[in-house]
Amino acid sequence: MTAIRLLLVDDDPLVRAGLSFMMGGADDIEIVGEAADGAEVEALVDRTRPDVVLMDIRMPTVDGLTATERLRAREDAPQVVVLTTFHADEQVLRALRAGAAGFVLKDTPPAEILAAVRRVAAGDPVLSPTVTRQLMRHAVGTAADTRRTRARERLAALNDREREVAVAVGRGLANAAIATGLFMSVATVKTHVSRILAKLDLNNRVQIALLAYDAGLLEEEQEER
């Protein structure tokens, strides 16, 4: 099995040392580099070619948000998981909108951080349905009217079936649950998700969920029930 190549980015040397010790003990994870600031990230990514970047948000020169935006704008960008001390922070939302695959809290148990890296490397976002809903409510609460208008304009590109899948993704459902609820195969769900990402120029399912919430689709679904 090919090891997951991981880059650690945090301005606190003690945090980096702890993460390196914890991650380095896993047989399927290889620490390919460390950075103390977002300014170092792009050059390190070019040199080490990581699969996943574990990225602190608050750093002195170039913060993790800017570094994430720069990375995710590149072709063949690595997946990014942001490190934070907050459950629902505007900065976390900005990172997710920039294309981060999710976030983990700095006080998360080591086994869960390892699991998060593995999930992201496999293409799954690191947000539980509960945390996703919390973040989405926070997102909708700020500049809601303008954001809703823009989100609805973007979602107009989807057909009815794709729109249903987008709503299900926004509810935090896995592919199997979406397939059951919409009476389709898991393979068909995956195809719809891929088409939604391509049509809307999004990076991952988290961004689909954010857009669905911004557009008010989850509220409409609850009213129809």
Side-chain angles (χ1 to χ4, degrees), residues 96-166:
L96 297 179
R97 293 183 189 283
F103 74 92
V104 293
L105 301 175
K106 286 193 173 183
D107 60 357
T108 297
E112 293 183 21
I113 296 180
L114 284 167
V117 170
R118 291 174 179 132
R119 283 182 55 189
V120 166
D124 294 325
V126 185
L127 288 175
S128 70
T130 300
V131 174
T132 300
R133 285 192 291 270
Q134 181 182 0
L135 281 169
M136 301 313 134
R137 291 192 193 102
H138 190 71
V140 172
T142 56
D145 291 340
T146 300
R147 191 169 288 145
R148 176 166 295 195
T149 298
R150 292 175 179 171
R152 287 177 179 268
E153 289 173 352
R154 293 186 68 183
L155 289 170
L158 304 183
N159 61 38
D160 291 343
R161 203 57 163 163
E162 290 164 348
R163 188 182 178 93
E164 290 176 335
V165 171

Side-chain angles (χ1 to χ4, degrees), residues 30-106:
E30 177 187 0
I31 307 297
V32 296
E34 297 182 16
D37 192 86
E40 307 169 27
V41 171
E42 289 192 271
L44 265 177
V45 166
D46 288 336
R47 188 162 67 248
T48 63
R49 299 294 177 186
D51 300 305
V52 179
V53 178
L54 199 54
M55 181 90 73
D56 186 22
I57 288 182
R58 292 171 175 83
M59 291 181 285
T61 306
V62 175
D63 62 46
L65 302 174
T66 301
T68 296
E69 289 169 346
R70 291 174 179 174
L71 277 185
R72 294 305 299 171
R74 297 159 51 121
E75 292 186 9
D76 301 322
Q79 297 292 341
V80 177
V81 177
V82 295
L83 287 166
T84 181
T85 55
F86 297 96
H87 283 275
D89 186 351
E90 279 290 348
Q91 293 180 319
V92 174
L93 288 166
R94 179 181 156 194
L96 297 179
R97 293 183 189 283
F103 74 92
V104 293
L105 301 175
K106 286 193 173 183

